[in-house]
Each structure stands twice: as C-alpha cells, then as structure tokens.
Amino acid sequence: MTSTAPVASGAAPEEPLLRRLMRATEVDTRMIGMVAAITLIWVGFHVYTYLQSGEGLFLTPRNLWNLTVQTSSVAVMATGMVLVIVMRHIDLSVGAIIALVSTIVGVAQVDFLPTYLGLDNPATWIISIALALAVGCTVGALQGALVAYVGIPAFIVTLGGQLFWRGAAWWVTTGATIAPLDSRFARMGGGPPSGSIGEWGSWALALFICAGIVASLYFGRRRRARYNFPLRPMWAEITVAVIGCFVTLGATAIVNAYPLPERVAERYAEAHNIPVPPGGLDIPTGYAIPVLIALAAGLVITFVARRTRFGRYVYAIGGNPEAALLAGINVRRITVMVFALMGTLAGISACIDSARLDSATNALGTLDELYVIAAAVIGGTSLSGGVGTIYGALIGALVIQSLQSGMVLLGFDSAFQQMVVGLVLVAAVGIDTSYRRGTAKG
Amino acid sequence: MDAQTKAPLIEMKDISIAFGGVKAVDRASVNLFPGEVVGLLGHNGAGKSCLIKILSGAYKRDSGQIFVNGEEAQIANPRDAKRYGIETIYQTLALADNVDAASNLYLGRELMTPWGTLDDSAMEHEARRVMGRLNPNFRRFKVPVISLSGGQRQSVAIARAIHFNARILIMDEPTAALGPAETAQVGELVKQLKADGIGIFLISHDIHDVFDLADRIAVMKNGQVVGIGPVSAMTKDEVLGMIILGKCPPGATPGPGAVTSN
Ligand SMILES: Nc1ncnc2c1ncn2[C@@H]1O[C@H](COP(=O)(O)OP(=O)(O)OP(=O)(O)O)[C@@H](O)[C@H]1O
Ligand SMILES: [Mg+2]
C-alpha cells in the first residue's frame, strides 16, 4: 500500500476492480495469498479424493471439524511464537514445555487432587488449568531471564530447555502414561459431546461475533471521522462487514452440519431424555472448545500486539533494538514478558493436547516447536524480526494441518507427510522473500 | 555575551569513555547555557557522537561528572536523560523502521486511552500537526518509516526530539539527509528554539552552518577537546586549523587536546 484511499475514492477508472477493492478495504496481499493457498489445498484434496474413491472426502463437515480441532494446539502457540520471532528470538522449547506441563497436571489430577478433593470434584479442572498456566509462565519467564539478563542467545537457552524440560517430564512420570484425566478437564480436548458447545451455543456465538465485527468497524470509522482522518469508502466498510459475517455464519453452519457420532448421540439422548427417532439421531456438534480457545488466543494476542504498550514495544524492539533502547524502553523486561507469554500459551496447549488424548505422557508435544515456528513463518513472520501478524500464524497453522490431514485421507505415510510439510515451509518462505524483494520493502 | 552570566544549563566535566584500548572521549569538558547553541566540530571519529551519547544516557561514562542547572545529575540510561529534559536527535536517527511515523514519534511515551490501550488516533492526529510544521509536504503517516526517504526519516527524528518540551536539545548531524529547503527550515527551527531559551548542542560537518547558527564552537580531536570559544572571536580558517592540526587560536580557551608547541 503506498497511499491511503481518499474520501469518496475517485480512483482512476482503468484500475482493475480487484486492486481497487483491495486498496479500499485495506486488505493486504499476503492475506489474499494465504487464503488462496488454503482454498487451493482444500479443493485440491477434495477433488483428488473424489477421483480416487468416487467421494470427495476433504470438504465435508466431519473433516473440517476435525481439521480445526487438530490445528488448535499448534495455533494457540503460534500466536505467541509470532511475538517471540518478531523480537528476533526463537523458542525451541515449547514442545518440551507441553510435556512438562501435561505430566505435572496429569499427576496432580490423578495422584494429588483426588486425595484432598475426592474424585470428580468440580474444582479439579480449575486448579489444573491454573497450575498449567503457572508452570508454563514460570518456565518461559526463566528462559526469558536467561536471554535478557545473562545474554545467552534464545536459540541456545531454548535448545537446552528442550532437552531439560522433556527430561524433567520423564522424571515426573518415570515414563508412565497418566490416565484417565478429570472429566471436566477433558472437555478442553473437544471430544464429543461435552467438548463442544452444541447447536444453539454455536449460533449464539456466531451472532455475537457478527455483532462484534460490525461494532468494531463502526467505532473505528467514528474514531477516524472525529479526527478528520481519511475514511475508507462506505461500500468498502460494508464489503468487509458482509464478508466477515458470511465467513462466521458459514463456519457455524459447517460445524453444526457435523452430527454427533451415533453412539455418542445415543448416550446423549438417553441422558437428556430425548426419544430416538426411527431414522437415527441427528444432533449437531457445534464449535469444539479447543477451537474456541485457539480463536480466543488469536483475538487476545492480536489485541495485545496492536493495542497495548507491550505489543508496540515488542514490534519496535524487533524493528530496531538500539532505537528501542534509546527511546527508553526496558528491552530486558519486555524480553522476559514475551517468553513468559510464550510459556503460558504452551501451558494452554498442553491442556488441550492432554485433554484430547485423555492422558499425559512425557512424549507429548514432540516436534511441536517446529510446527509452531513453521506456522508463524508460513503466516508471514520474518525471522529477521519486526514483521509478523497473528492472523497470519493462525492461517499458517491451518495450512500445515490441512496438508497433513489431506495426506492422511489419501493414505500417504507419515514420512512422506513430513517431506511435504518441509518442502512447503521452504517454498513459502522462498515465495515470500521474492515477493518482498519485488515490493522493495525490508 | 549575556548568556554567560546565567548559570549553565549543562556542565560536562572531565568526561572519559574508552572502548577496549580506544579512548573515544578523553577528559572532555563542555558546558551549555540556556538559549545558547554550541557547535561541536571535529573530523570523523573525533568522539563527538560518543560525548553526546554519554549526555543522552546511551553510553555509560568511565569517569567525569554531569551537572544540570548546577546540580550533579545521575544519567544512567536514556530515560534518566529525558527526565532532565535532554532530547536527542541521533546521527543514526534511531527509528524503529517497521512502525509508522506516529508510533516513532511517541515511542516510549505513548498516548493512552482511559482504558489503558494505545490511543493511535490521538497519536496520529498529533503527528500530523507536528510533522505539518516541520515538513508540510509529508503525507505518508500510515507506512513503516523504512519506506520513507532519508529526509523524511530525519524529519520524524527531529519531530520526536522537539515535541516533548526539551530544555536541552542534542542534534547529531540533523541536516545530513535534508535538501536545501528543509535544511533552512531546521535552521529556522534552531533559532526559534534558542529564542525559547532551549540550549542546543549542534554537531555538523558543515562549518558554514555551524558559523550561522552557533554562539560558541567546541572542536574535538582524537577524543579530546582542542578548544572552545565564541564564534565572534574566531575565523573559519582558525576553526579549520583546530579541526585538522589541533591548534587552538587566541580567541578560544584551549582544552587537553590543544597542541602547545609549534
Ligand atoms: N560502540 C562503540 N564501540 C567501540 N568503539 C566505538 C563505539 N562507538 C564509537 N567508537 C569509537 O570511538 C571513536 C569516536 O567515535 P564517534 O562516533 O564519537 O566519532 P564522531 O566524532 O561522532 O565521528 P563522525 O563525525 O564520523 O560521526 C571512534 O574511534 C569510534 O571507532
Ligand atoms: Mg558522529
């Protein structure tokens, strides 16, 4: 973007429609590129499975629902990894933090809390989550302090951390698998039916989000008008609102089109005194809780990045650490905070992962750090610092999981999946680099 | 000159700093009065930037004292310096390249809404006002400053230094990237700030500019002060002699760096 659109955009008539649309709505080209890539992947797999088996398997409510649930853990961490990488650091320890946190929480749930609270106490899940956040935050802050105050490069600190924390996780469990976990805690994993918010919950949430989109556009416009800043043309605002609401409602329709699995539905019907009709039960599943957690993480971290001092400093430090220091920013404190935030998010992902498996082991989260970094980078975060968006990382996580899920549907083995994800990572950064060079921006 | 009768705004006494074996600044003493412009001259690597970075809190001095309004000042970091009203335009500009002009203007001192979030609209509004005074043609408020021209970036750095009611302004080559019109504008700005009673350290390689704007000139060589004296008592040739040969003319007070014999 080279200039802001003037009021009542008198754009030259020969300007192509798409370009004009993008300029007026201030959507960046990277976002368009990523959405196009995802569409291509999804449609590609759908067509491929159709040709292979006579039935398109990818673009089904069932697959899309599973896809988003499988993405959520990496997505949660990717939002924090963006900030870490924007500050020119890296965190290689997040997978190991998952192992540490989930084993500690698992042991607490299985061995300690029942002794004091009894089995199935409603406080168990709350204490578990608080514990997970506290452990994640502490581990992150500790690593951040080593980076900021001792001056050890983050690569080394978190590489050491990766070995250390996973080793510590083994120590917590002595290698045993800890199961089963608290039933309320397990809802974070998204397993039906209690792991999702159901049909009406999902529609209510969708309406709430639509209202939020419209309200934020309205208040943003009012604020700019009050300062006499250039405004986006009205039709552009409306286009953005319509697309936003359409995507929200569409996604809701999809998750509600995915019925609870038959056996689960029968048990659910029995528990709720619903008569089973002759054609079988069709109870919509709705949004899964881990997906909502990931979306909430995306929203909160976006807010933190854009609207708080902390976020502004993270980006400024990434852009020019010396300038940030000269501007009086406490760079060390911000560094510790970023790593603490990353650790906290890893703690949340640990809850999602262990809840989904209904067990905790010291092998949980293996290789996750690489997928998290890949998600951030595919989403446009620059390893040279200063540049990166949260929504980009979320889409990046979805791209990776889409590739993996698609290849599973096609029956490719995991060795091949790894090769493809690796290739896509390198290709994405390659395309990105040449694109940046083309637009002559750093 | 009547400025000399007031108490000095800044007094730097025997300031030294070394990097490894290099004595970047060696027992330098310079002072600055309210409403005065002191020009700092010297060849590349003479120690000018190091000296003013000590004053602005960017570097920690090895020895020496700094007094602000006659009282010893504790300046250990840039925030301390700003608290004393010392604002700096760095030679390297020190801008966060990836954020826009308004964010740079307010970096470290952001305007906040009552809810504790960044008030970007208010910051952009103020930025438009300040930049409009400095560089009326400037329109590109929404882009990262890396995509601005060298002169535009310099305007942002200048705006940031003058926007927060500085009492002492340090300008390290403020016009290096500016065109003639903008350079003249900075000259006007210096005169205006001077009239407001602000003390200014002006570092420049353009000896004519310094003669136009400065009340006194200090020359550094190899980290040491060669001499300090009023502009009116020196000729340009004498100042060049100080810079190149380290010879202190009769109109100036010699410092540790002045060559005595010959
Ligand atoms: N951070 C640093 N580390 C090591 N040496 C430094 C550092 N900063 C400056 N120096 C050295 O100190 C000396 C003085 O440098 P300084 O930047 O003050 O020169 P200057 O007078 O501002 O020159 P110029 O006119 O080129 O800006 C030089 O020899 C330089 O190499
Ligand atoms: Mg210099």
Side-chain angles (χ1 to χ4, degrees):
Chain A
M1 268 177 285
T2 51
S3 62
T4 45
V7 200
S9 173
E14 67 268 22
E15 194 179 23
L17 182 67
L18 184 66
R19 180 90 45 77
R20 208 172 81 199
L21 188 76
M22 277 170 53
R23 200 165 61 110
T25 50
E26 291 170 21
V27 174
D28 66 285
T29 27
R30 180 190 308 283
M31 171 105 167
I32 304 267
M34 283 191 301
V35 171
I38 270 210
T39 313
L40 199 73
I41 292 168
W42 287 9
V43 172
F45 276 124
H46 194 72
V47 170
Y48 200 113
T49 47
Y50 179 80
L51 295 178
Q52 203 183 42
S53 64
E55 192 188 352
L57 296 176
F58 200 91
L59 292 173
T60 62
R62 175 196 160 82
N63 186 54
L64 293 176
W65 190 91
N66 280 315
L67 179 65
T68 52
V69 171
Q70 287 159 351
T71 308
S72 45
S73 165
V74 165
V76 166
M77 291 187 282
T79 62
M81 191 61 81
V82 171
L83 299 186
V84 172
I85 299 178
V86 160
M87 266 189 78
R88 305 186 181 192
H89 293 305
I90 197 82
D91 193 336
L92 299 173
S93 70
V94 292
I97 295 179
I98 285 192
L100 179 70
V101 170
S102 63
T103 51
I104 288 179
V105 168
V107 167
Q109 277 181 29
V110 173
D111 293 345
F112 284 100
L113 293 175
T115 332
Y116 301 105
L117 302 173
L119 273 173
D120 229 22
N121 188 302
T124 301
W125 72 275
I126 298 175
I127 296 175
S128 299
I129 290 171
L131 186 63
L133 298 182
V135 172
C137 182
T138 309
V139 168
L142 195 72
Q143 296 187 141
L146 290 174
V147 174
Y149 290 94
V150 188
I152 310 170
F155 186 94
I156 300 300
V157 169
T158 58
L159 184 64
Q162 185 184 92
L163 298 166
F164 188 90
W165 306 122
R166 196 171 290 285
W170 188 89
W171 215 46
V172 172
T173 65
T174 53
T177 300
I178 301 162
L181 301 180
D182 177 68
S183 63
R184 293 184 186 82
F185 180 81
R187 294 183 67 183
M188 282 182 90
S194 62
S196 49
I197 60 173
E199 185 178 19
W200 298 113
S202 298
W203 282 121
L205 182 72
L207 289 181
F208 182 74
I209 292 173
C210 289
I213 291 172
V214 172
S216 76
L217 286 172
Y218 170 76
F219 286 113
R221 188 180 178 82
R222 208 177 64 166
R223 198 173 54 235
R224 292 191 70 76
R226 193 163 61 230
Y227 283 102
N228 284 319
F229 292 160
L231 297 175
R232 299 200 277 201
M234 200 60 196
W235 61 264
E237 304 267 21
I238 292 172
T239 309
V240 171
V242 167
I243 291 176
C245 293
F246 181 80
V247 170
T248 308
L249 296 174
T252 311
I254 290 171
V255 295
N256 278 339
Y258 174 48
L260 288 179
E262 209 169 310
R263 294 255 298 284
V264 178
E266 274 165 20
R267 248 179 289 136
Y268 180 85
E270 212 170 297
H272 290 76
N273 283 323
I274 303 170
V276 179
L281 279 161
D282 186 8
I283 302 173
T285 307
Y287 284 110
I289 288 174
V291 175
L292 297 180
I293 293 173
L295 290 175
L299 214 62
V300 169
I301 303 298
T302 301
F303 176 85
V304 166
R306 295 212 178 148
R307 301 245 65 93
T308 69
R309 260 207 178 108
F310 167 74
R312 176 66 42 88
Y313 293 171
V314 165
Y315 279 81
I317 292 168
N320 187 345
E322 198 203 334
L325 213 56
L326 292 176
I329 294 172
N330 191 337
V331 175
R332 289 173 165 170
R333 206 181 71 197
I334 303 285
T335 307
V336 174
M337 286 167 74
V338 161
F339 279 95
L341 178 63
M342 182 72 253
T344 309
L345 290 166
I348 296 176
S349 291
C351 293
I352 295 176
D353 283 345
S354 55
R356 193 148 71 86
L357 298 175
D358 199 17
S359 66
T361 74
N362 60 307
L364 208 59
T366 304
L367 288 188
D368 267 11
E369 58 280 349
L370 301 183
Y371 289 113
V372 171
I373 294 167
V377 169
I378 288 175
T381 303
S382 160
L383 282 171
S384 47
V387 179
T389 58
I390 311 302
Y391 69 77
L394 293 179
I395 299 179
L398 195 57
V399 166
I400 295 175
Q401 190 57 50
S402 299
L403 287 170
Q404 288 189 311
S405 299
M407 288 186 288
V408 169
L409 285 180
L410 294 181
F412 292 159
D413 58 29
S414 65
F416 188 76
Q417 292 172 31
Q418 279 187 5
M419 290 165 69
V420 170
V421 172
L423 278 179
V424 166
L425 173 65
V426 174
V429 175
I431 293 169
D432 201 48
T433 309
S434 47
Y435 166 77
R436 273 178 220 230
R437 217 178 287 131
T439 55
K441 273 192 200 170
Chain B
M1 197 166 262
D2 126 276
Q4 310 288 335
T5 61
K6 298 180 207 160
L9 201 52
I10 291 285
E11 199 177 349
M12 286 190 277
K13 250 191 187 161
D14 292 325
I15 304 283
S16 298
I17 186 172
F19 296 101
V22 185
K23 282 188 172 173
V25 178
D26 184 13
R27 287 166 292 144
S29 299
V30 182
N31 54 14
L32 176 72
F33 291 88
E36 186 191 37
V37 177
V38 170
L40 262 181
L41 290 170
H43 55 72
N44 291 125
K48 309 179 296 289
S49 295
C50 282
L51 179 63
I52 61 95
K53 277 187 172 176
I54 287 168
L55 181 58
S56 73
Y59 288 166
K60 259 192 209 110
R61 60 187 180 273
D62 296 335
S63 60
Q65 291 164 294
I66 298 173
F67 297 87
V68 178
N69 287 323
E71 279 180 40
E72 181 154 16
Q74 304 303 326
I75 298 177
N77 58 48
R79 248 172 309 163
D80 291 345
K82 284 177 192 188
R83 221 170 301 142
Y84 285 108
I86 301 170
E87 293 288 337
T88 313
I89 301 159
Y90 292 98
Q91 187 170 13
T92 52
L93 301 184
L95 299 174
D97 291 323
N98 56 333
V99 300
D100 62 17
S103 305
N104 266 291
L105 185 63
Y106 281 96
L107 195 59
R109 308 182 261 216
E110 288 75 12
L111 299 178
M112 306 301 277
T113 63
W115 302 282
T117 61
L118 293 172
D119 196 345
D120 276 319
S121 302
M123 288 192 267
E124 187 183 335
H125 179 73
E126 278 296 294
R128 282 176 191 271
R129 201 175 57 75
V130 184
M131 291 296 291
R133 252 182 29 200
L134 231 53
N135 191 339
N137 297 322
F138 187 78
R139 289 279 177 283
R140 306 186 62 202
F141 286 94
K142 284 295 195 192
V143 299
V145 297
I146 189 141
S147 55
L148 301 181
S149 77
Q152 290 170 332
R153 289 162 55 83
Q154 202 134 34
S155 303
V156 175
I158 295 174
R160 176 167 69 183
I162 62 168
H163 186 54
F164 296 92
N165 302 320
R167 289 191 300 138
I168 299 114
L169 186 60
I170 301 167
M171 307 173 99
D172 196 348
E173 315 226 12
T175 56
L178 298 186
E182 288 82 2
T183 302
Q185 208 134 19
V186 171
E188 285 308 310
L189 180 72
V190 167
K191 285 176 192 160
Q192 189 189 323
L193 293 168
K194 190 173 132 82
D196 293 340
I198 291 165
I200 299 173
F201 280 117
L202 176 65
I203 299 176
S204 175
H205 282 289
D206 188 331
I207 194 167
H208 306 289
D209 266 0
V210 175
F211 260 76
D212 276 350
L213 296 171
D215 301 300
R216 287 188 300 147
I217 288 178
V219 174
M220 290 184 75
K221 192 170 191 292
N222 302 328
Q224 298 175 320
V225 175
V226 173
I228 309 176
V231 172
S232 50
M234 292 185 280
T235 66
K236 283 179 187 169
D237 282 342
E238 283 174 334
V239 171
L240 281 175
M242 286 166 93
I243 295 172
I244 299 162
L245 305 170
K247 255 195 338 213
C248 188
T253 318
V259 285
T260 38
S261 61
N262 199 329

